[in-house]
Amino acid sequence: MKRGGLFGRTRVSRLPQAWRRPLAVVGVVVALVWIVVALAAPVLAPHDPLAQELPRLAPPGPGHWLGTDQLGRDILSRIMYGARVSIPLTLLLVALSVVVGGLLGACAGYFGRWVDETIMRLADLVFAFPTVILAMVVAAALGASLGNAVLAVLVVAWPAYARVTRGLVLGVREREFVLSGRLLGFSAWRSLRVDVLPNVTGPVLVLATLDIGTALLLLSGLSFLGLGAKPPSPEWGAMVAAGVDVFDSWWVATFPGLAILTVVLAFNFLGDTLRDALDPRTARAIKERAL
């Protein structure tokens, strides 16, 4: 027992100080729990999320621990299956935003001139509109569906990554190792891929982690407004919208809303921790406070 305890403490002590803080632990645990729920929903869910076999608008109790909705569907089961919809789509959306915005921003910062001007003016055009309103307009123009909601949020999300990546590339492209590679005959694309991009991924990764919560809120908001998931899909934003019609039955909207809240908070905690861990000055200050 003593050896096991010592070995466990040794492994924990090897973690960076930023990852040993309470909020970091909470973020990791909550995110892992939701990922497990999303993967194992068919096993964990007590009922079919589409089955209308329970009493309608039954409050939380045995047999339906989070209550039922106005069609007699188990809310706990729908939340679990909703994790299989909301979380993967949110991660896909953020990944696409990083790829599209990162590549455009890297090209703008590295090549400059008309490439920079064209991409940045396009980004400024998107920034000129309120994010939610522009996403609503794009989703309404494309048609109500989850796929179109993802595209709508992608349209408003990529400029942030483009601007951040451009600024980072501008600070790296004149460094000695990049210039020496160009003098050795490296092509512009090889230099951008091998020398520049690996040195700007840290801040972009932090931004992506912090943006997961925002992307989930936008997707859920579009579904709430009827521009995303269509019934009877167990999507969290649509479930909250269904609870508006039966406001007296508080559990119908409260528990899907809490699911959104916990995921957003978890990834915000992870993003803050990742930022602190990757920033040498912040990591050093955290370590000094711990000592």
Side-chain angles (χ1 to χ4, degrees):
M1 292 296 293
K2 185 178 292 185
R3 288 183 180 180
L6 180 60
F7 181 66
R9 288 195 297 271
T10 303
R11 287 191 297 178
V12 171
S13 64
R14 292 177 181 175
L15 291 173
Q17 191 66 40
W19 290 99
R20 285 183 262 167
R21 293 185 298 171
L23 290 182
V25 175
V26 170
V28 171
V29 171
V30 173
L32 288 177
V33 167
W34 275 116
I35 291 173
V36 170
V37 168
L39 293 175
V43 177
L44 298 176
H47 298 279
D48 185 337
L50 304 181
Q52 304 175 20
E53 58 189 11
L54 297 173
R56 297 182 180 183
L57 296 178
H64 37 79
W65 296 105
L66 299 186
T68 63
D69 62 9
Q70 55 268 53
L71 297 178
R73 297 172 297 190
D74 182 61
I75 292 178
L76 175 59
S77 301
R78 290 179 61 78
I79 289 176
M80 288 182 174
Y81 274 86
R84 297 170 66 89
V85 176
S86 298
I87 294 177
L89 283 180
T90 300
L91 296 178
L92 174 63
L93 168 60
V94 173
L96 291 174
S97 301
V98 170
V99 172
V100 174
L103 288 178
L104 291 176
C107 292
Y110 191 82
F111 296 106
R113 293 180 289 186
W114 67 268
V115 177
D116 184 16
E117 191 70 18
T118 301
I119 294 175
M120 286 300 101
R121 295 298 74 79
L122 184 60
D124 290 340
L125 179 63
V126 177
F127 279 127
F129 297 92
T131 301
V132 177
I133 294 178
L134 181 58
M136 290 170 55
V137 170
V138 175
L142 294 175
S145 71
L146 273 174
N148 291 338
V150 170
L151 290 177
V153 180
L154 174 62
V155 169
V156 302
W158 72 266
Y161 295 94
R163 181 164 290 182
V164 170
T165 306
R166 173 184 177 271
L168 295 170
V169 171
L170 286 174
V172 172
R173 70 176 184 177
E174 301 299 330
R175 299 281 294 273
E176 292 80 2
F177 61 90
V178 178
L179 296 176
S180 62
R182 296 302 303 273
L183 291 174
L184 290 173
F186 292 171
S187 66
W189 289 108
R190 185 184 189 282
S191 178
L192 183 62
R193 185 181 71 254
V194 175
D195 295 329
V196 176
L197 289 182
N199 289 280
V200 303
T201 53
V204 175
L205 180 61
V206 172
L207 177 61
T209 308
L210 289 170
D211 209 28
I212 290 175
T214 303
L216 177 59
L217 287 175
L218 279 173
L219 280 176
S220 300
L222 291 177
S223 295
F224 178 85
L225 296 171
L227 298 172
K230 294 182 178 180
S233 176
E235 198 274 337
W236 291 342
M239 293 175 66
V240 174
V244 175
D245 297 330
V246 286
F247 201 74
D248 291 340
S249 302
W250 56 268
W251 56 88
V252 177
T254 298
F255 292 118
L258 288 176
I260 297 172
L261 174 65
T262 54
V263 173
V264 170
L265 287 179
F267 281 101
N268 282 346
F269 292 160
L270 289 178
D272 289 338
T273 303
L274 191 61
R275 179 196 59 201
D276 296 340
L278 293 178
D279 185 354
R281 290 175 297 180
T282 306
R284 186 162 51 249
I286 294 173
K287 185 175 181 180
E288 291 174 354
R289 286 200 301 267
L291 295 175

